Amino acid sequence: MSKILFSSISKKFVMALAGLFLLTFLPLHLIINLMLLKSEPEPFNKAAHFMATFPLVKIMEIVLISTILIHITVGIFLQIHNWLARPVGYVSGSKSETSFFSRFMIWTGASVLTFLVLHFFNFYFIKIGLVPGNPEDFYSVAHNLFKIPAYNYIYLVCFTLLGLHLYHAFSSAFQTLGLNHRIWTPVVKVIALVYAIVLPAGFAFVSISLWLFR
């Protein structure tokens, strides 16, 4: 049983399921963030309040946090396993497209973790009372954060790297789950590319708009 639980294939399978779950969360998060562009704070604050108080959402929040921790932990174990299994670098000219993205997943994933730490500190910890702030006015909290140049720099870099992470994660998850198909695999790769561009671009649009034009 321990060999099954800790085999590379099992970890990749868990990684794929966790990643796909996280991919469904980002579009919802972007929709809520776009409400920050409204001049009145009420729509965003209502959405944030709903996300913080609705019982089903609170259950999904626990699932989401658990999934993030699983995704990060398994990702680190897989990367360490790859490093140990391949102590010598690739021979020049032998790199595949998949290996290129795979080799950088740990670093793009680290950028995602950096953003999550900032996000938790600036929003989630306020909600649970660990950090001072008004949990009923996250609109003002977000607007004040996006006025800080350093915050925007980190935010934009993280989401640029997130795009690279998403592209590989989206397509490789289907491959890991055994959903390869002569017709549908190229379609999945196109969807992955669109997703990896549109989602980070949407978050970047909110950041730049609030930073430079509000």
Side-chain angles (χ1 to χ4, degrees):
M1 178 63 69
S2 63
K3 289 182 179 178
I4 295 176
L5 288 176
F6 293 99
S7 70
S8 178
I9 295 176
S10 297
K11 288 197 286 289
K12 287 181 179 179
F13 190 81
V14 172
M15 190 77 168
L17 290 177
L20 288 175
F21 179 82
L22 294 176
L23 287 173
T24 63
F25 167 75
L26 284 172
L28 175 62
H29 193 34
L30 175 58
I31 291 172
I32 295 175
N33 270 26
L34 288 172
M35 296 180 185
L36 288 169
L37 300 178
K38 292 179 174 290
S39 57
E40 63 276 6
E42 187 176 0
F44 179 83
N45 284 336
K46 280 187 174 181
H49 180 78
F50 174 81
M51 295 293 289
T53 58
F54 190 66
L56 181 59
V57 175
K58 295 182 76 172
I59 293 173
M60 291 304 297
E61 183 179 77
I62 296 174
V63 175
L64 178 64
I65 293 174
S66 301
T67 303
I68 290 172
L69 293 176
I70 292 172
H71 191 75
I72 292 172
T73 302
V74 174
I76 291 173
F77 272 111
L78 281 173
Q79 185 61 55
I80 293 174
H81 177 270
N82 290 338
W83 281 336
L84 293 176
R86 193 174 293 141
V88 179
Y90 288 98
V91 177
S92 179
S94 65
K95 300 176 184 177
S96 66
E97 181 183 356
T98 301
S99 66
F100 171 81
F101 282 105
S102 297
R103 287 185 299 112
F104 286 96
M105 283 295 279
I106 187 66
W107 307 115
T108 57
S111 72
V112 178
L113 178 60
T114 300
F115 167 75
L116 287 174
V117 170
L118 287 174
H119 189 74
F120 271 56
F121 185 82
N122 291 309
F123 292 96
Y124 186 76
F125 288 172
I126 291 177
K127 187 185 76 171
I128 63 177
L130 294 180
V131 174
N134 184 2
E136 298 299 324
D137 189 17
F138 279 129
Y139 180 91
S140 297
V141 172
H143 273 253
N144 289 334
L145 284 171
F146 282 118
K147 291 177 182 177
I148 304 172
Y151 183 84
N152 285 279
Y153 296 144
I154 296 173
Y155 193 91
L156 293 173
V157 169
C158 285
F159 272 97
T160 298
L161 295 175
L162 174 64
L164 298 175
H165 193 84
L166 290 174
Y167 174 70
H168 177 70
F170 197 110
S171 54
S172 66
F174 283 87
Q175 181 178 358
T176 299
L177 295 174
L179 301 177
N180 286 336
H181 190 274
R182 178 176 57 85
I183 296 175
W184 294 112
T185 296
V187 175
V188 168
K189 288 187 176 182
V190 172
I191 295 174
L193 180 61
V194 172
Y195 187 99
I197 292 174
V198 172
L199 264 293
F203 284 101
F205 177 74
V206 173
S207 171
I208 293 172
S209 296
L210 296 182
W211 177 23
L212 300 179
F213 303 109
R214 293 296 179 95

